[in-house]
Amino acid sequence: MRHIISLLMENEAGALSRVAGLFSARGYNIESLTVAPTEDETLSRMTIVTRGSDDVIEQITKQLNKLIDVVKVVDLSEAGHIERELMLVKVRAEDGLREEMKRMSDIFRGRIIDVTDKTYTIELTGAGYKLDAFLEALDKGAILETVRTGASGIGRGDRILKA
Amino acid sequence: MELTGAEIVVRCLAEEGVEFVFGYPGGAVLNIYDEIFKQDKFKHVLVRHEQAAAHAADGYARATGRTGVALVTSGPGATNAVTGIATAYMDSIPLVVISGQVPTPAIGMDAFQEVDMVGITRPCVKHNFLVKDVKDIAETIKKAFYIASTGRPGPVVVDIPKDVTQHKAEFSYPKSVKMRSYNPVTKGHPGQIKRAVQMLLEAKRPMLYTGGGAVLSNAAEELTQFARLLGFPVTSTLMGLGGYPASDPQFTGMLGMHGTYEANMAMQHCDVLVAIGARFDDRVIGNPEHFFQDGRRIIHIDIDPASIAKRVKVDVPIVGSVKEVLAEMVKLIKASKERPEPAALKTWWTQIELWRSRDCMKYDRDSSLIKPQYVIEKMHEITRGEAYVTSDVGQHQMWAAQYYKFDQPRHWINSGGLGTMGFGLPAAMGVQFAHPEAAVACITGEGSIQMNIQELATCKQFNLPLKIILLNNRYLGMVRQWQEFFYGNRYSESYMDALPDFVKLAESYGHVGMRIEQPGDVEGALKEAFAMKERLVFMNFITDQTENVYPMIPAGKGLNEMILV
């Protein structure tokens, strides 16, 4: 099962490597990992997308909690949550393709943020599957480059993760 | 008044009440060593290899329950200490290891004796710090001691660049420390404790399985009270020995790969199992699939939530210190009118006694060769079971665990988790420093002892009257045993050729050496050695080369699939 784990940790040097090291040392999967400071600059918030059985996910959350610098851990997928990922895609936009690319971008609510006479760079935000769907909808040959941030997540409603 | 970083380090250790620092000087820690020279609050013990500094601090910690302290220089000093740090980590031993680092501007420049100590030790410490500002030294060291000694204990590394030890700052040592990200739970959940007690009172075939956590949380008294109140059988892991008195009839011996028949069979066939500060290690329950062929309900008490439900599913998890949880349980049982059904318990004990009558620890007592088991039994007798015993790793370690009946906690000191050869001698030094009047023995093999033999010099320098019991079978015995059982007698690289003359070797370090070849000489030699209270005696027992450790559960098999003699 795919899980999205969110955690708050002390914003100190080496924080990221403690988490990454834990995942590699214990053989857990990381599908994506994003990290940045929060509005409280002493704290970093990390979102980790991982896969594993319920037992493995339980161990992952326990092991994360065990890290001395980790303040809080929550498995967002346990309840309602919102997940977003940002993707930038550079595509071919020559003669015949130009209109087609613009239309695809519009359908997926993307924005064209850079234009040359041969390419468009499209910015797209959404859940991971939506970004996947966009890439699948394009002709493979038209994609020049993609970059994705990995998912960020937040609980729905008044579910709040705070130190 | 402003102090240098080095002065601050030394003052912090004094404030923590540190008695001994085990270490080795070098470039990056010269400022700290200069301050050590000027003070008399704690004693510095110069070891002969940094691995031994960590092990000695570890031995001190295990024998006292206090935090052990080691001090090493940057680069090779730091990496040499890593095996000792990993050893302490696997057995949850509180250590603070201070390592020197190259000056801050040189970090990342591949400077002389530079190594990323924080990076290297990350997977084998409870936590680590790189101190980049002299103003942070005091608080960091306070945190290091706090983290190392609370919750599930473990080693903490504090890496200090040389320039930081030169810089100056105001010194004040924090009285206490609070961390929003680290608040270990010690009290168990009352609802869970109640459920557990109810389950215990209804048990028909109960079993208490105790581990290192019972020793670490100083719960021997509570554990004994708990077990006696219920009349339940007790087994212990290698790490838990001494947590419950081995001479007590309720004790069924150690369990696991080389555990007793009765303990392993009772584990397999019980209906309610209480794991007390133990973690269902692979050397303990073997293959979990086999373990679960027979159903049982499990209560698991551990201070580390991540140890619960890691290898086996449990019915009643209780996160808390073993000491506090057991005390709570004793209170509830005493208050309850219910008791486990006596008839069922009697039937269960009859079954256990039947297993016990199999006498799985028997060995050939009429042999013309010295049997290693006999040496340990005699040693137990001569020391009246009161010695502190350290060991290295291998066959001799298992025989020590099986035949020296530990009645007190913190007397059995060995590397259980990491299985570090070379641990025994330096650990024994730490124990002897902690208990200068006590008999301290190191049971070892000719393979293990050579991994840190240079420490005989440290023992001489500090007049440590250790008794080294070398069970010399001219083989890496445990390797040879596995090769005999599972590799068609192909003894690949397990014969120890070109051994030194251990008697001369001991003598050249200024100690007493003995060589014992006849079973009839064992007792006399041991008596003579333990009577020499001022001298280190190195006893080289030439033992039966082909002796194996029994019983044995082959790796991956179930608890009921033992190889017996």
Side-chain angles (χ1 to χ4, degrees):
Chain A
M1 267 294 288
R2 179 178 180 275
H3 286 253
I4 175 159
I5 293 170
S6 211
L7 63 91
L8 285 173
M9 69 190 299
E10 298 292 351
N11 184 14
E12 275 172 26
L16 174 61
S17 61
R18 287 185 204 279
V19 172
L22 169 69
F23 273 73
S24 67
R26 294 197 183 260
Y28 305 142
N29 293 311
I30 299 183
E31 221 160 78
S32 74
L33 187 158
T34 68
V35 60
T38 65
E39 78 285 2
D40 171 354
E41 62 189 22
T42 66
L43 286 171
S44 280
R45 175 143 174 174
M46 204 176 277
T47 310
I48 305 163
V49 178
T50 182
R51 273 176 198 280
S53 62
D54 289 352
D55 292 350
V56 170
I57 299 298
E58 184 184 337
Q59 265 300 308
I60 289 176
T61 50
K62 282 175 166 179
Q63 293 291 348
L64 285 169
N65 262 312
K66 202 169 147 179
L67 292 175
I68 302 291
D69 281 342
V70 169
V71 181
K72 271 208 175 124
V73 180
V74 61
D75 180 354
L76 286 176
S77 24
E78 270 178 358
H81 67 279
I82 301 158
E83 188 183 322
R84 289 290 180 272
E85 183 176 354
L86 172 74
M87 173 168 71
L88 304 178
V89 197
K90 194 168 288 183
V91 294
R92 273 184 215 290
E94 289 146 338
D95 309 331
L97 269 172
R98 240 172 145 75
E99 264 312 297
E100 159 83 1
M101 284 301 164
K102 173 81 174 71
R103 210 164 39 241
M104 288 302 286
S105 171
D106 288 345
I107 291 170
F108 280 85
R109 297 204 183 88
R111 296 197 303 147
I112 296 170
I113 54 172
D114 188 41
V115 178
T116 70
D117 52 355
K118 287 191 175 126
T119 67
Y120 282 157
T121 300
I122 302 168
E123 174 194 320
L124 200 63
T125 311
Y129 64 85
K130 177 184 156 185
L131 308 189
D132 294 341
F134 179 65
L135 292 177
E136 264 163 47
L138 296 182
D139 173 14
K140 288 274 167 300
I143 303 171
L144 295 169
E145 187 182 347
T146 62
V147 54
R148 298 171 68 150
T149 58
S152 284
I154 197 163
R156 273 197 187 276
D158 40 24
R159 225 176 141 213
I160 285 164
L161 179 63
K162 259 218 151 17
Chain B
M1 202 183 83
E2 292 206 322
L3 302 182
T4 66
E7 284 175 281
I8 292 174
V9 170
V10 167
R11 288 279 293 275
C12 289
L13 297 178
E15 290 278 346
E16 280 294 331
V18 170
E19 294 178 284
F20 299 102
V21 172
F22 302 90
Y24 206 106
V29 284
L30 277 172
N31 293 320
I32 299 175
Y33 271 87
D34 195 41
E35 292 308 320
I36 287 177
F37 187 83
K38 298 176 197 161
Q39 62 85 46
D40 59 0
K41 291 275 196 285
F42 56 82
K43 187 170 178 146
H44 180 272
V45 176
L46 177 69
V47 294
R48 298 301 187 268
H49 185 289
E50 289 88 349
Q51 183 189 348
H55 287 330
D58 178 324
Y60 171 87
R62 292 183 203 232
T64 58
R66 309 188 58 198
T67 301
V69 180
L71 171 60
V72 297
T73 193
S74 66
T79 54
N80 276 348
V82 170
T83 300
I85 294 167
T87 303
Y89 179 68
M90 287 293 274
D91 290 342
S92 309
I93 305 303
L95 288 192
V96 170
V97 178
I98 297 174
S99 53
Q101 183 54 275
V102 300
T104 359
I107 291 180
M109 300 291 152
D110 299 320
F112 177 64
Q113 293 195 328
E114 179 185 1
V115 74
D116 173 13
M117 185 59 169
V118 165
I120 280 183
T121 57
R122 195 174 294 121
C124 63
V125 292
K126 185 167 171 187
H127 198 55
N128 57 22
F129 298 95
L130 170 64
V131 187
K132 282 185 153 168
D133 188 330
V134 65
K135 290 199 267 315
D136 297 334
I137 291 180
E139 198 192 330
T140 305
I141 292 181
K142 183 77 198 173
K143 276 186 184 168
F145 276 89
Y146 171 62
I147 293 167
S149 62
T150 53
R152 179 178 180 174
V156 178
V157 166
V158 182
D159 200 32
I160 311 179
K162 187 170 186 180
D163 56 334
V164 175
T165 64
Q166 272 157 340
H167 298 159
K168 286 188 162 187
E170 283 293 334
F171 173 67
S172 83
Y173 198 61
K175 289 256 174 308
S176 64
V177 58
K178 229 180 130 63
M179 297 170 69
R180 63 178 166 185
S181 62
Y182 176 69
N183 297 291
V185 177
T186 58
K187 262 188 133 32
H189 188 280
Q192 293 293 79
I193 293 178
K194 226 183 248 170
R195 270 182 68 204
V197 167
Q198 198 50 42
M199 201 176 271
L200 288 171
L201 294 172
E202 288 162 10
K204 295 197 167 26
R205 299 187 310 280
M207 187 68 176
L208 307 180
Y209 148 53
T210 85
V215 174
L216 291 169
S217 76
N218 298 315
E221 206 183 306
E222 289 79 1
L223 173 62
T224 308
Q225 234 186 334
F226 175 69
R228 296 225 171 112
L229 193 58
L230 291 163
F232 288 177
V234 183
T235 182
S236 167
T237 66
L238 179 70
M239 295 311 297
L241 294 175
Y244 188 84
S247 56
D248 188 276
Q250 275 172 248
F251 190 65
T252 60
M254 180 172 78
L255 83 164
M257 183 172 270
H258 295 296
T260 67
Y261 183 61
E262 51 272 31
N264 283 335
M265 291 300 274
M267 276 293 280
Q268 186 68 27
H269 296 288
C270 64
D271 72 337
V272 174
L273 177 65
V274 194
I276 305 168
R279 57 186 176 90
F280 296 92
D281 176 277
D282 55 295
R283 287 294 193 262
V284 165
I285 59 160
N287 186 333
E289 259 173 57
H290 291 239
F291 186 59
F292 280 104
Q293 279 166 2
D294 296 282
R296 64 185 80 62
R297 287 184 296 173
I298 298 178
I299 298 162
H300 194 169
I301 309 167
D302 206 295
I303 196 149
D304 175 13
S307 279
I308 297 178
K310 183 168 69 182
R311 293 202 76 229
V312 303
K313 283 205 187 313
V314 303
D315 301 277
V316 186
I318 305 174
V319 177
S321 112
V322 167
K323 191 182 181 74
E324 290 189 35
V325 173
L326 287 183
E328 218 36 60
M329 284 181 151
V330 166
K331 225 190 277 171
L332 286 182
I333 297 165
K334 279 186 173 163
S336 168
K337 284 191 190 65
E338 281 178 75
R339 281 295 174 269
E341 191 186 311
L345 202 52
K346 196 166 168 238
T347 313
W348 178 228
W349 269 112
T350 309
Q351 176 62 64
I352 290 171
E353 291 305 333
L354 200 69
W355 286 324
R356 193 181 263 172
S357 67
R358 179 72 179 69
D359 192 14
C360 67
M361 294 293 184
K362 63 174 177 270
Y363 63 89
D364 177 11
R365 287 169 193 277
D366 302 320
S367 172
S368 60
L369 300 169
I370 296 179
K371 288 287 179 181
Q373 300 96 322
Y374 176 70
V375 178
I376 313 278
E377 275 187 344
K378 277 292 153 201
M379 187 193 135
H380 178 259
E381 199 180 300
I382 287 160
T383 56
R384 295 181 306 281
E386 288 166 0
Y388 287 86
V389 179
T390 73
S391 91
D392 276 298
V393 171
Q395 286 185 317
H396 66 270
Q397 176 190 26
M398 291 301 116
W399 286 317
Q402 291 175 329
Y403 292 90
Y404 198 97
K405 306 288 180 196
F406 293 93
D407 280 346
Q408 291 161 277
R410 300 197 178 278
H411 278 57
W412 165 236
I413 284 146
N414 82 127
S415 166
L418 196 67
T420 309
M421 290 170 71
F423 173 79
L425 177 56
M429 301 184 329
V431 177
Q432 190 80 74
F433 276 109
H435 303 291
E437 303 302 323
V440 180
C442 165
I443 296 176
T444 184
E446 77 285 354
S448 288
I449 192 69
Q450 291 189 86
M451 285 208 185
N452 266 322
I453 195 135
Q454 76 287 345
E455 295 309 313
L456 286 174
T458 312
C459 295
K460 183 63 191 168
Q461 183 179 343
F462 293 92
N463 292 317
L464 302 177
L466 303 177
K467 303 296 172 270
I468 297 172
I469 315 288
L470 167 59
L471 302 175
N472 184 349
N473 59 3
R474 285 82 71 214
Y475 274 112
L476 300 176
M478 193 57 95
V479 173
R480 192 204 57 75
Q481 177 169 343
W482 281 58
Q483 288 170 337
E484 178 188 329
F485 287 6
F486 314 117
Y487 294 90
N489 298 307
R490 290 181 299 281
Y491 297 138
S492 178
E493 305 297 322
S494 56
Y495 183 70
M496 273 271 118
D497 213 342
L499 286 173
D501 178 335
F502 285 107
V503 173
K504 279 191 188 153
L505 183 112
E507 285 170 358
S508 80
Y509 275 106
H511 302 304
V512 180
M514 289 183 181
R515 182 182 166 95
I516 304 99
E517 293 174 53
Q518 299 300 324
D521 297 336
V522 169
E523 186 168 356
L526 282 166
K527 277 188 176 154
E528 193 187 334
F530 278 94
M532 281 188 248
K533 299 218 185 289
E534 309 296 321
R535 301 294 300 274
L536 184 149
V537 185
F538 192 120
M539 311 183 75
N540 181 12
F541 290 95
I542 308 302
T543 62
D544 184 351
Q545 288 197 281
T546 59
E547 189 58 294
N548 289 321
V549 181
Y550 292 108
M552 178 173 186
I553 301 167
K557 297 281 186 172
L559 285 175
N560 52 352
E561 296 173 279
M562 261 164 282
I563 305 174
L564 294 161
V565 194

